[in-house]
Amino acid sequence: MSCYHCGLPVPARESYPVTINGREELMCCIGCQAVATAIVEGGLESFYRFRTEINSRPDEEQVSALERWRVYDLPEVQSEFVLELDEQRSQASLLLENITCAACSWLIEKHLHSQPGVRSVTVNMATHRCTLVWDAEQQPLSEILSELATIGFMPHPATDKHQQDLLRHESRMSLMRLGVAAFGMMQVGMLAVYIYTGATDEWRDFFRWISLVLVTPVVLFSSWPFFRGAWIGLRHNNLTMDVPVALGIGLAYIASIWATVSGGGEVYFEAISTFAFFLLAGRYVEMRARHRNRQGFGNLAQLMPLTARRLDNDQQDLVPVKSLRPGERVLVLAGETFPCDGRVESGHSAAMEALLTGESRPVVKTPGETVIAGTLNTDSPLTVEVMATGADTRLSAIERLVEQATQEKPWQVALADKVARYFVGAVLVVCMAVFAFWWWYQPERALWVALSVLVVTCPCALGLAMPTALAAASTNLRQRGFLVAKGHVLETLTRITRVIFDKTGTLTKGRFVLDEVQLCDSLSRDRALSIGAALEANANHPVAKAFEPWAGNHKASDVRQFTAKGVEGRVDGKLYRLGNSDFATEITPGQTPPAAPDNTNLWLLLAGEGGPMAWFSVVDEVRPGAKSLVQHLTGDGLAVELLSGDRSGAVAELANTLGIEHYRAGATPEDKLARLRECQGAGDRVLMMGDGINDVPVLSAADVSVTVGSASDLAQTKADSVLLNDDLNTLADALRLARRTRRVIAQNLGFSLCYNLLALPLAAAGLIVPWVAALGMAGSSLVVVLNAMRLSRGIG
């Protein structure tokens, strides 16, 4: 008697029964009994019907003990794999053991959704990665991890090392399967020469038995992924592309065994091994391309060093990067990688940021400049103040966006998968009709003709036509400094008719500097600047950077940010506001908002409860490539607009400089959103490029949204894509590559459809033997993959 859960023998004098689907099933130990009971009590008995492999036996201590998971409730441990989304929700990235099929993913998601603290859970069966969003106040993470272990899936924090181990395992297994198929093809091929060149009956039967022995590992080991994929698909009422391949190999193998045992009929051992080899060769090349694309996207954690030189009273200590905290100082020597996001305190050097921003030239770093974790210090030692580490760094934010993009499936890819499923169904119907005809016309050829039809028309090329092209194009853009964060971006970029820009931090660098100060009362210049710096100390908006040189003299409390208006807070117990004139004077009853000194620059008014105190003029610099980008867009027939919350005449001046005819100053977030809706209502497909919290509503509503790498975190999470460097011409490159991607996808779809339509009648007519069918199928897939990989190089 075998255990119903894990398949191991049930002890003779012991049994651990569980009632499943109305029947009492025996388990081998208390661990399996606990797992099965948890599954049944959760109403998930269907798992046992859908699973395709026996589960592993759980460790009894893992099932019964919660204590081992308590460590994952510690903040210092969670910092490695948990991201706080807001005050109530946190997101954990996990890697799970023992996932073998889609039923496992279904079981995990269903079981975790029954937990009170879980808000959402997604499982990627291909990568064994689980993304879990939960409310820590309702349920600690340790309880959720314990639940995963209870049903037999051991969780681990998702790290780059674990992911690389999985990729290596997949590559190694694929190469082993390919090698076994290659050996079987060569050996069976040699024996087939003897069989078909006049071997006597005795030797023919002997060679057939030897061929059977040699081809069996090819069927049971090398071809196992085809059978597993087909079985999973059929169990879930889904006709995958593995179905015709598995049918072809399985039927040919069974027919050949019958012919070998009975001593009559035809054998297809050489055809089985040959087209299994060609199919596996094609899939191996596809897998390598997929891994290469993933490495181009992510694996960014490999850029991070393991240790850093922390400075404590000029004493150097080599410490783990994970132990660094904001405010500490580190020394980074020439040739070393920055271990954190930070600000240069002393030293002059340059940093290579190409892997993150696409900027090929070294970027000069002087005191006050920021550095990015994972980039390379090239010239001289730098002393850096730590600003962010671990999951809070820009590197980690980019990696999360990359992961988000790879999890999404664009609608056209989903459509191609659906078409492929219907195509598989049609192929199976045609195959049965062809088999029936040949069985009537020439029975000895019926099986291999049907086999050729099954294999040659498998729509693998159709299924690869779009995913490979989109992955290659996204990798190319990522290397150029344009990060695609949502799956629909490349397709939608080809249909854009209007582009709307924000001004500050978007068309301009957003690196404001103080240009002029005009005092309104007896307050001293330094005092006014110190108050302004205290109010803006914790702000992430570009205007706040202009006050950094005067920071530290005072500290503000009760600070509140008002979207598109300004900031309010108390300094030395007194209430102040800094922002536009109307907003700043609201704290003074009866005060009429004063006019700005001029309409050219951006003026900020500092006001107290007694009235206006000082005007600050700040100026910004136009980003490189802004003018050429506008010229490129208008040259392509796209409408261009500038909507800015800035009320100064700088908006009109910038619009005239760049050649933008339609612009609006003083636009509130509501105004921007209303204009976007108006354009969309008129039939426009709108691309919005913005920066800052006040752009979040319009970024969310745009057909495609782009934010710059220095934007606030909230804006980045709402955007569909992120510009990682300062050169706006990268957006023009993205538009050109998107149109090129559409052409390549059209070529791939046209080729794959024409191939299948031409190959089907030839195979049905008996003009294509099985091994040629396999070669044609693998060749068509390789053509599609290689054509798509052209998108990983160049733009036009």
Side-chain angles (χ1 to χ4, degrees), residues 307-321:
T307 59
R309 291 181 174 84
R310 184 171 61 193
L311 297 179
D312 186 10
N313 296 326
D314 296 328
Q315 184 78 23
Q316 292 186 29
D317 294 319
L318 198 63
V319 298
V321 169

Side-chain angles (χ1 to χ4, degrees), residues 366-447:
T366 58
E369 296 280 347
T370 58
V371 295
I372 306 171
T375 58
L376 182 67
N377 181 24
T378 59
D379 294 343
S380 305
L382 291 175
T383 300
V384 176
E385 178 190 355
V386 178
M387 297 173 62
T389 61
D392 297 326
T393 62
R394 188 177 176 190
L395 178 70
S396 295
I398 292 173
E399 193 167 29
R400 287 193 295 271
L401 291 175
V402 167
E403 186 64 28
Q404 172 183 311
T406 57
Q407 292 284 350
E408 292 192 2
K409 179 180 285 190
W411 70 268
Q412 64 267 49
V413 175
L415 178 62
D417 290 345
K418 187 175 181 179
V419 170
R421 289 197 297 270
Y422 284 112
F423 194 94
V424 169
V427 167
L428 294 177
V429 172
V430 171
C431 181
M432 287 187 290
V434 169
F435 179 79
F437 169 79
W438 280 95
W439 186 260
W440 166 79
Y441 176 68
Q442 202 171 347
E444 66 274 11
R445 300 184 62 192
L447 182 60

Side-chain angles (χ1 to χ4, degrees), residues 229 537 572-573 718:
D572 296 334
K718 294 294 182 181

Side-chain angles (χ1 to χ4, degrees), residues 538-600:
N538 297 318
N540 195 33
H541 195 277
V543 173
K545 306 300 181 184
F547 294 90
E548 282 187 351
W550 294 272
N553 296 326
H554 294 84
K555 188 172 183 179
S557 61
D558 301 330
V559 177
R560 298 170 58 198
Q561 296 284 342
F562 292 83
T563 301
K565 293 181 179 180
V567 61
E568 174 187 281
R570 293 186 179 276
V571 178
D572 296 334
K574 296 181 179 180
L575 183 64
Y576 296 95
R577 278 190 173 184
L578 177 65
N580 64 54
S581 178
D582 293 339
F583 166 75
T585 53
E586 285 178 358
I587 62 173
T588 307
Q591 175 70 49
T592 301
D598 62 57
N599 293 323
T600 302

Side-chain angles (χ1 to χ4, degrees), residues 66-132:
L66 180 61
E67 291 302 319
R68 64 161 297 176
W69 303 109
R70 298 288 188 194
V71 66
Y72 291 105
D73 291 331
L74 299 175
E76 55 268 29
V77 176
Q78 290 190 2
S79 64
E80 297 185 10
F81 65 102
V82 173
L83 171 68
E84 289 189 7
L85 300 179
D86 52 44
E87 293 182 356
Q88 294 184 330
R89 298 181 306 142
S90 299
Q91 176 179 299
S93 295
L94 306 171
L95 286 173
L96 305 181
E97 292 183 11
N98 302 327
I99 293 180
T100 58
C101 64
C104 297
S105 302
W106 173 85
L107 172 62
I108 293 166
E109 293 178 0
K110 289 290 184 181
H111 187 68
L112 290 190
H113 274 303
S114 68
Q115 300 302 307
V118 173
R119 296 293 171 263
S120 69
V121 56
T122 57
V123 178
N124 188 321
M125 194 182 72
T127 61
H128 294 191
R129 183 181 289 267
C130 172
T131 301
L132 170 71

